[in-house]
Amino acid sequence: MIAVSLATANHIIAECWLLATFSEDQGQTTRRFLTPPVLQVHDHLRQRMNALGMTTHTDALGNLRGLWQPHAESLRIAIGSHIDTVPNAGAFDGVLGVVLALELIRLAQLASLPVAIELLAFSEEEGVRFATPFLGSRAVAGRFDPALLQLTDQDGITLEQAIRNFHLEAASFGPASLEAAQLHPRTRAFLEIHIEQGPVLEAEDLSLGLVTAIVGQTRCALNFLGHANHAGTTPMHLRRDALAAAAEWTLAVESIAREGQNLVATVGKISAQPNAANVIPSQVQLSLDIRHSDDAVRAASLRQLLDRAEAIAARRGIQATCQTLLDQPAIPMDPHLADRLAQALADAGLPLRPMTSGAGHDAMVMATRLPTAMLFLRSPGGLSHHPDEAVRPADVANALHVAFLFLQRLVASPE
Ligand code: GLV
Ligand code: MN
Ligand code: MN
């Protein structure tokens, strides 16, 4: 019987806090895709993987990968989560799943479990730098469309250039390296362990939740095109103000989402041109993120929001256009793996709490490629995408214990 101590859990938490110091900004955690602090995270994790006897490499999309392979013919599975963050992030979103996986591999080694484990530290999940999420897991799952290489970041750097800068070896990047990033075909299952990022487990005083499905999401860039003019001389009724239109539409997004059942929609990013106090704004770009567990409801709500944008624009004599950056369907987790996780929870004497994830995860991309399971830990205060994001040591210990029991069950009956 493998016991997971609170000391182990506290060590995992301390590691997450350490990784949170590798940041683009002093005093807060911001680590976007392929930025310099990612290299510091890689160095740290690589050392830890090597210390466990794992072989490591970084793939074409900058995912750090480590392989523990006790026997060439063992059952092979993959475990992981992401190491990029939102701006001013907490320490646990994504990173916890990677650090927990390291400890899980250590436990598997101690118990001589005949299982090969690939640890995937995904480079990009949040969609912050290129406004498009899951770039790392898409490559691993074989779902990476090379057209994505032409995406640009806020500095006009293309994804392809960012990759070349990161690897510092331009010649080695191309279709072959993208191909090589794909998951080994013998991999039988993927497991992601993640904080819930919501209030449900805490409200029910539960340590862990079993994810049965992940909601679908659409991300778009909305553009309102008006006309700049002098702020002092242009009467109010003769303006074509793109920012006023964007503000009106933002409020419409909020009220339409409130009217929907379990619909969430967010305008999280805004930029205005020319962005000067005495000029009527000529152009505004907004992000839209809309999610629902039913893809048909998501599609219909999106249509409603876009119709509203067009109506607002027409009334104000301006133009509204929309570019879709992501259309990710809702996806169920694998029912057989979910059963095994449920059994592992029972083995650990913990209650079963099936739940749908409102947050997006690499697991939703991996699930398009192979059987995938996901385990949630309670989020104190229901807080995430915030520097006060936290986890409780007892929940971390439970998650590690359940993940180990899950591994044992997989090894015992891999079919
Ligand atoms: C990732 O955290 C997302 O759900 O946007
Ligand atoms: Mn995450
Ligand atoms: Mn996140």
Side-chain angles (χ1 to χ4, degrees), residues 132-144 148 325-326 328 365:
T132 305
F134 313 125
L135 296 170
S137 45
R138 285 192 219 207
V140 176
R143 305 281 181 254
F144 187 89
L148 292 167
L325 299 166
L326 176 78
Q328 184 78 31
V365 176

Side-chain angles (χ1 to χ4, degrees), residues 130-211:
F130 289 97
T132 305
F134 313 125
L135 296 170
S137 45
R138 285 192 219 207
V140 176
R143 305 281 181 254
F144 187 89
D145 177 354
L148 292 167
L149 293 169
Q150 299 320 313
L151 290 170
T152 50
D153 71 4
Q154 65 190 20
D155 301 318
I157 298 172
T158 64
L159 172 53
E160 177 160 1
Q161 192 57 49
I163 291 171
R164 291 182 190 281
N165 296 346
F166 185 78
H167 288 296
L168 301 175
E169 47 188 53
S172 73
F173 179 72
S177 57
L178 272 176
E179 182 77 25
Q182 289 197 36
L183 201 62
H184 191 287
R186 275 204 309 111
T187 316
R188 304 283 279 280
F190 174 70
L191 171 68
E192 181 166 6
I193 307 171
H194 202 286
I195 52 172
E196 179 202 341
Q197 307 184 274
V200 175
L201 292 173
E202 168 145 289
E204 298 180 15
D205 194 22
L206 294 171
S207 183
L208 303 178
L210 185 150
V211 179

Side-chain angles (χ1 to χ4, degrees), residues 114-402:
V115 58
I117 302 174
E118 183 173 23
L119 202 173
L120 298 159
F122 292 115
S123 53
E124 205 290 332
E125 184 264 6
E126 299 286 7
V128 174
R129 182 165 176 189
F130 289 97
T132 305
F134 313 125
L135 296 170
S137 45
R138 285 192 219 207
V140 176
R143 305 281 181 254
F144 187 89
D145 177 354
L148 292 167
L149 293 169
Q150 299 320 313
L151 290 170
T152 50
D153 71 4
Q154 65 190 20
D155 301 318
I157 298 172
T158 64
L159 172 53
E160 177 160 1
Q161 192 57 49
I163 291 171
R164 291 182 190 281
N165 296 346
F166 185 78
H167 288 296
L168 301 175
E169 47 188 53
S172 73
F173 179 72
S177 57
L178 272 176
E179 182 77 25
Q182 289 197 36
L183 201 62
H184 191 287
R186 275 204 309 111
T187 316
R188 304 283 279 280
F190 174 70
L191 171 68
E192 181 166 6
I193 307 171
H194 202 286
I195 52 172
E196 179 202 341
Q197 307 184 274
V200 175
L201 292 173
E202 168 145 289
E204 298 180 15
D205 194 22
L206 294 171
S207 183
L208 303 178
L210 185 150
V211 179
T212 51
I214 303 177
V215 305
Q217 55 171 292
T218 305
R219 293 200 201 179
C220 307
L222 256 290
N223 194 43
F224 285 98
L225 184 62
H227 207 284
N229 209 335
H230 197 289
T233 61
T234 316
M236 296 310 287
H237 68 288
L238 294 179
R239 295 174 177 221
R240 291 195 278 151
D241 183 332
L243 185 51
E248 186 180 342
W249 183 71
T250 303
L251 291 176
V253 169
E254 185 186 43
S255 65
I256 288 170
R258 278 186 182 205
E259 284 158 17
Q261 275 270 319
N262 298 325
L263 178 70
V264 289
T266 307
V267 175
K269 192 175 172 194
I270 181 163
S271 67
Q273 279 95 51
N275 211 21
N278 60 350
V279 185
I280 296 164
S282 58
Q283 191 170 351
V284 172
Q285 266 225 341
L286 303 161
S287 65
L288 173 69
D289 175 313
I290 177 168
R291 309 187 189 199
H292 198 275
S293 55
D294 182 331
D295 290 335
V297 173
R298 177 170 50 96
S301 307
L302 177 63
R303 190 63 262 156
Q304 194 184 355
L305 292 179
L306 298 183
D307 287 350
R308 183 67 72 87
E310 275 166 22
I312 290 169
R315 177 163 38 74
R316 290 172 171 274
I318 69 175
Q319 277 185 325
T321 54
C322 168
Q323 183 193 5
T324 302
L325 299 166
L326 176 78
D327 179 5
Q328 184 78 31
I331 192 149
M333 297 291 94
D334 181 74
H336 301 293
L337 288 182
D339 273 354
R340 301 268 172 79
L341 257 185
Q343 288 161 354
L345 282 158
D347 293 345
L350 291 166
L352 174 63
R353 176 52 160 103
M355 56 199 305
T356 301
S357 171
H361 297 289
D362 295 302
M364 72 193 300
V365 176
M366 297 299 282
T368 66
R369 168 83 184 230
L370 82 171
T372 292
M374 196 162 187
L375 184 66
F376 269 174
L377 290 79
R378 153 171 46 196
S379 285
L383 202 59
S384 185
H385 286 183
H386 188 282
D388 292 342
E389 186 179 271
V391 274
R392 294 196 188 159
D395 297 341
V396 173
N398 283 339
L400 183 54
H401 188 201
V402 167

Side-chain angles (χ1 to χ4, degrees), residues 79-126:
I79 304 181
S81 195
H82 61 99
I83 56 160
D84 67 320
T85 76
V86 294
N88 198 15
F92 301 100
D93 176 2
V95 171
L96 177 68
V98 175
V99 178
L100 261 167
L102 277 170
E103 288 300 323
L104 184 58
I105 290 166
R106 199 177 59 78
L107 293 186
Q109 294 177 342
L110 282 175
S112 303
L113 280 189
V115 58
I117 302 174
E118 183 173 23
L119 202 173
L120 298 159
F122 292 115
S123 53
E124 205 290 332
E125 184 264 6
E126 299 286 7

